[in-house]
Amino acid sequence: MIEIPESITIAKQLNETVKGKKIVQAQTEHTPHGFAFYSGDAEFYSTVMEGKRIGQSFGIGSMVEMELEDETGESRYSFVVGDGTNIRYYEPGEKLPGRYQTKIALEGGSTLVCTVQMYGSMFLIQPDQYDNFYYQVARQKPFPGTEEFDYEYFCSLKEELSGTTSVKAFLATQQRIPGLGNGVLQDILFLAGFHPKRKINTLREAHWRKLYDTTVDVLGKMTDAGGRDTEKDLLGQKGGYRTFLSKLTVGKPCPYCGNSIQKASYLGGTVYFCPECQE
């Protein structure tokens, strides 16, 4: 799933590989999928996208936005890939997968392909008119590592919450921090030393400072490494950040205390934790 480290990494790779290239074909709904979501029919995508050049790409939370420029260089439309959609770059002549949802063929023979496994979106939008909550909040809110995301702002996110809210719910629900989801959450809480179910009313000032510092530090390391080793980038390569807690480490010994990493279902997803190191 795309989260902050992956969206930033993929956007950077798009800028390095396809920025400035003209779209010669845009095809959607190639392989039917009940949970692949679009913002119009196939003809809408081909009519708007073909002939446009790919402009700047951005990572915004759990989405990747790719601007489309007309012949004057103006960008009125964007192609936005959402969480759950895999976007891949293929060199000229490289074999494409047999099943996919969207194909964007570019001048020179390279191709972008989007595939959906469980669910995912591939929206063609006009940013100034698109009123989707998740998109707008991801564009408006600061993300960890930016100047605006300081400790004061971080603490303000808990002002209207009940004291019985868990640290997982605080960090990874209600789009308080867009793009910080259940995936990157695991290592943040592990390295901060907090169990996912711990209530925020048990956290003192020093705990909040530690949670803030760890959030910024872990997401920075994940991004610098090109994403997590549980996810793949634009080129189909796994990220270079080695996760402490994930589907890859469950049942293995904790690197600090040796206890087995455990998993449990909580708040609609799986959480991983060390029963000894996370209070």
Side-chain angles (χ1 to χ4, degrees), residues 141-156:
K141 285 191 172 184
F143 57 87
T146 62
E147 184 177 347
E148 295 82 2
F149 195 93
D150 57 16
Y151 180 62
E152 182 179 0
Y153 172 79
F154 180 74
C155 289
S156 74

PDB file of all heavy atoms in Angstrom, residues 141-156:
ATOM      1  N   LYS A 141      -2.850  19.551   4.370  1.00  0.00           N
ATOM      2  CA  LYS A 141      -2.172  19.328   5.645  1.00  0.00           C
ATOM      3  C   LYS A 141      -0.667  19.119   5.456  1.00  0.00           C
ATOM      4  O   LYS A 141      -0.246  18.507   4.484  1.00  0.00           O
ATOM      5  CB  LYS A 141      -2.777  18.114   6.368  1.00  0.00           C
ATOM      6  CG  LYS A 141      -4.125  18.373   6.998  1.00  0.00           C
ATOM      7  CD  LYS A 141      -4.510  17.224   7.912  1.00  0.00           C
ATOM      8  CE  LYS A 141      -5.773  17.528   8.712  1.00  0.00           C
ATOM      9  NZ  LYS A 141      -6.088  16.455   9.675  1.00  0.00           N
ATOM     10  N   PRO A 142       0.136  19.619   6.403  1.00  0.00           N
ATOM     11  CA  PRO A 142       1.580  19.361   6.320  1.00  0.00           C
ATOM     12  C   PRO A 142       1.891  17.911   6.661  1.00  0.00           C
ATOM     13  O   PRO A 142       1.132  17.256   7.379  1.00  0.00           O
ATOM     14  CB  PRO A 142       2.158  20.305   7.378  1.00  0.00           C
ATOM     15  CG  PRO A 142       1.057  20.467   8.378  1.00  0.00           C
ATOM     16  CD  PRO A 142      -0.216  20.452   7.573  1.00  0.00           C
ATOM     17  N   PHE A 143       2.987  17.408   6.127  1.00  0.00           N
ATOM     18  CA  PHE A 143       3.370  16.045   6.459  1.00  0.00           C
ATOM     19  C   PHE A 143       4.696  16.044   7.214  1.00  0.00           C
ATOM     20  O   PHE A 143       5.477  17.011   7.123  1.00  0.00           O
ATOM     21  CB  PHE A 143       3.430  15.154   5.214  1.00  0.00           C
ATOM     22  CG  PHE A 143       4.360  15.637   4.132  1.00  0.00           C
ATOM     23  CD1 PHE A 143       5.700  15.282   4.150  1.00  0.00           C
ATOM     24  CD2 PHE A 143       3.892  16.410   3.086  1.00  0.00           C
ATOM     25  CE1 PHE A 143       6.564  15.707   3.158  1.00  0.00           C
ATOM     26  CE2 PHE A 143       4.747  16.847   2.083  1.00  0.00           C
ATOM     27  CZ  PHE A 143       6.096  16.491   2.122  1.00  0.00           C
ATOM     28  N   PRO A 144       4.978  15.004   7.977  1.00  0.00           N
ATOM     29  CA  PRO A 144       6.199  14.948   8.794  1.00  0.00           C
ATOM     30  C   PRO A 144       7.451  15.196   7.962  1.00  0.00           C
ATOM     31  O   PRO A 144       7.607  14.674   6.860  1.00  0.00           O
ATOM     32  CB  PRO A 144       6.174  13.525   9.349  1.00  0.00           C
ATOM     33  CG  PRO A 144       4.718  13.185   9.406  1.00  0.00           C
ATOM     34  CD  PRO A 144       4.123  13.818   8.174  1.00  0.00           C
ATOM     35  N   GLY A 145       8.325  16.005   8.521  1.00  0.00           N
ATOM     36  CA  GLY A 145       9.557  16.337   7.829  1.00  0.00           C
ATOM     37  C   GLY A 145       9.537  17.730   7.226  1.00  0.00           C
ATOM     38  O   GLY A 145      10.584  18.267   6.860  1.00  0.00           O
ATOM     39  N   THR A 146       8.338  18.330   7.124  1.00  0.00           N
ATOM     40  CA  THR A 146       8.232  19.698   6.619  1.00  0.00           C
ATOM     41  C   THR A 146       8.304  20.672   7.785  1.00  0.00           C
ATOM     42  O   THR A 146       8.067  20.311   8.946  1.00  0.00           O
ATOM     43  CB  THR A 146       6.928  19.911   5.842  1.00  0.00           C
ATOM     44  OG1 THR A 146       5.809  19.708   6.733  1.00  0.00           O
ATOM     45  CG2 THR A 146       6.821  18.934   4.683  1.00  0.00           C
ATOM     46  N   GLU A 147       8.614  21.921   7.471  1.00  0.00           N
ATOM     47  CA  GLU A 147       8.735  22.940   8.515  1.00  0.00           C
ATOM     48  C   GLU A 147       7.425  23.147   9.260  1.00  0.00           C
ATOM     49  O   GLU A 147       7.413  23.405  10.471  1.00  0.00           O
ATOM     50  CB  GLU A 147       9.194  24.256   7.879  1.00  0.00           C
ATOM     51  CG  GLU A 147       9.451  25.367   8.870  1.00  0.00           C
ATOM     52  CD  GLU A 147       9.980  26.624   8.214  1.00  0.00           C
ATOM     53  OE1 GLU A 147      10.383  26.542   7.034  1.00  0.00           O
ATOM     54  OE2 GLU A 147       9.986  27.684   8.871  1.00  0.00           O
ATOM     55  N   GLU A 148       6.306  23.030   8.547  1.00  0.00           N
ATOM     56  CA  GLU A 148       4.996  23.257   9.161  1.00  0.00           C
ATOM     57  C   GLU A 148       4.620  22.163  10.161  1.00  0.00           C
ATOM     58  O   GLU A 148       3.829  22.387  11.073  1.00  0.00           O
ATOM     59  CB  GLU A 148       3.912  23.360   8.093  1.00  0.00           C
ATOM     60  CG  GLU A 148       4.052  24.552   7.166  1.00  0.00           C
ATOM     61  CD  GLU A 148       5.047  24.320   6.044  1.00  0.00           C
ATOM     62  OE1 GLU A 148       5.601  23.190   5.975  1.00  0.00           O
ATOM     63  OE2 GLU A 148       5.267  25.237   5.235  1.00  0.00           O
ATOM     64  N   PHE A 149       5.191  20.970   9.963  1.00  0.00           N
ATOM     65  CA  PHE A 149       4.858  19.862  10.850  1.00  0.00           C
ATOM     66  C   PHE A 149       5.808  19.891  12.060  1.00  0.00           C
ATOM     67  O   PHE A 149       6.690  19.052  12.223  1.00  0.00           O
ATOM     68  CB  PHE A 149       4.977  18.526  10.114  1.00  0.00           C
ATOM     69  CG  PHE A 149       4.332  17.365  10.825  1.00  0.00           C
ATOM     70  CD1 PHE A 149       3.028  16.997  10.542  1.00  0.00           C
ATOM     71  CD2 PHE A 149       5.024  16.631  11.786  1.00  0.00           C
ATOM     72  CE1 PHE A 149       2.431  15.917  11.191  1.00  0.00           C
ATOM     73  CE2 PHE A 149       4.437  15.554  12.443  1.00  0.00           C
ATOM     74  CZ  PHE A 149       3.140  15.202  12.146  1.00  0.00           C
ATOM     75  N   ASP A 150       5.621  20.886  12.910  1.00  0.00           N
ATOM     76  CA  ASP A 150       6.464  20.993  14.100  1.00  0.00           C
ATOM     77  C   ASP A 150       5.776  20.357  15.299  1.00  0.00           C
ATOM     78  O   ASP A 150       4.656  19.845  15.202  1.00  0.00           O
ATOM     79  CB  ASP A 150       6.829  22.452  14.377  1.00  0.00           C
ATOM     80  CG  ASP A 150       5.611  23.362  14.541  1.00  0.00           C
ATOM     81  OD1 ASP A 150       4.493  22.845  14.744  1.00  0.00           O
ATOM     82  OD2 ASP A 150       5.782  24.599  14.471  1.00  0.00           O
ATOM     83  N   TYR A 151       6.441  20.389  16.436  1.00  0.00           N
ATOM     84  CA  TYR A 151       5.916  19.712  17.623  1.00  0.00           C
ATOM     85  C   TYR A 151       4.603  20.332  18.083  1.00  0.00           C
ATOM     86  O   TYR A 151       3.681  19.627  18.504  1.00  0.00           O
ATOM     87  CB  TYR A 151       6.946  19.767  18.745  1.00  0.00           C
ATOM     88  CG  TYR A 151       6.488  19.087  20.019  1.00  0.00           C
ATOM     89  CD1 TYR A 151       6.197  17.724  20.044  1.00  0.00           C
ATOM     90  CD2 TYR A 151       6.340  19.818  21.198  1.00  0.00           C
ATOM     91  CE1 TYR A 151       5.775  17.097  21.210  1.00  0.00           C
ATOM     92  CE2 TYR A 151       5.919  19.203  22.371  1.00  0.00           C
ATOM     93  CZ  TYR A 151       5.633  17.839  22.368  1.00  0.00           C
ATOM     94  OH  TYR A 151       5.204  17.224  23.514  1.00  0.00           O
ATOM     95  N   GLU A 152       4.496  21.639  17.975  1.00  0.00           N
ATOM     96  CA  GLU A 152       3.254  22.308  18.380  1.00  0.00           C
ATOM     97  C   GLU A 152       2.087  21.850  17.512  1.00  0.00           C
ATOM     98  O   GLU A 152       0.992  21.578  18.014  1.00  0.00           O
ATOM     99  CB  GLU A 152       3.423  23.826  18.273  1.00  0.00           C
ATOM    100  CG  GLU A 152       2.205  24.613  18.726  1.00  0.00           C
ATOM    101  CD  GLU A 152       2.407  26.106  18.635  1.00  0.00           C
ATOM    102  OE1 GLU A 152       3.503  26.542  18.221  1.00  0.00           O
ATOM    103  OE2 GLU A 152       1.474  26.851  18.986  1.00  0.00           O
ATOM    104  N   TYR A 153       2.318  21.758  16.206  1.00  0.00           N
ATOM    105  CA  TYR A 153       1.256  21.285  15.309  1.00  0.00           C
ATOM    106  C   TYR A 153       0.893  19.839  15.631  1.00  0.00           C
ATOM    107  O   TYR A 153      -0.293  19.484  15.692  1.00  0.00           O
ATOM    108  CB  TYR A 153       1.716  21.390  13.856  1.00  0.00           C
ATOM    109  CG  TYR A 153       0.742  20.743  12.887  1.00  0.00           C
ATOM    110  CD1 TYR A 153      -0.414  21.395  12.492  1.00  0.00           C
ATOM    111  CD2 TYR A 153       0.981  19.453  12.393  1.00  0.00           C
ATOM    112  CE1 TYR A 153      -1.320  20.798  11.627  1.00  0.00           C
ATOM    113  CE2 TYR A 153       0.082  18.849  11.527  1.00  0.00           C
ATOM    114  CZ  TYR A 153      -1.067  19.521  11.145  1.00  0.00           C
ATOM    115  OH  TYR A 153      -1.970  18.915  10.300  1.00  0.00           O
ATOM    116  N   PHE A 154       1.890  19.011  15.870  1.00  0.00           N
ATOM    117  CA  PHE A 154       1.655  17.600  16.191  1.00  0.00           C
ATOM    118  C   PHE A 154       0.762  17.470  17.422  1.00  0.00           C
ATOM    119  O   PHE A 154      -0.205  16.699  17.421  1.00  0.00           O
ATOM    120  CB  PHE A 154       2.997  16.912  16.425  1.00  0.00           C
ATOM    121  CG  PHE A 154       2.911  15.446  16.767  1.00  0.00           C
ATOM    122  CD1 PHE A 154       2.608  14.506  15.796  1.00  0.00           C
ATOM    123  CD2 PHE A 154       3.157  15.012  18.066  1.00  0.00           C
ATOM    124  CE1 PHE A 154       2.547  13.146  16.113  1.00  0.00           C
ATOM    125  CE2 PHE A 154       3.105  13.669  18.391  1.00  0.00           C
ATOM    126  CZ  PHE A 154       2.798  12.726  17.410  1.00  0.00           C
ATOM    127  N   CYS A 155       1.060  18.222  18.458  1.00  0.00           N
ATOM    128  CA  CYS A 155       0.263  18.143  19.686  1.00  0.00           C
ATOM    129  C   CYS A 155      -1.152  18.689  19.485  1.00  0.00           C
ATOM    130  O   CYS A 155      -2.097  18.238  20.145  1.00  0.00           O
ATOM    131  CB  CYS A 155       0.961  18.899  20.812  1.00  0.00           C
ATOM    132  SG  CYS A 155       2.464  18.092  21.416  1.00  0.00           S
ATOM    133  N   SER A 156      -1.318  19.629  18.575  1.00  0.00           N
ATOM    134  CA  SER A 156      -2.650  20.186  18.333  1.00  0.00           C
ATOM    135  C   SER A 156      -3.599  19.145  17.735  1.00  0.00           C
ATOM    136  O   SER A 156      -4.828  19.299  17.839  1.00  0.00           O
ATOM    137  CB  SER A 156      -2.554  21.389  17.391  1.00  0.00           C
ATOM    138  OG  SER A 156      -2.294  20.979  16.044  1.00  0.00           O
TER     139      SER A 156
END
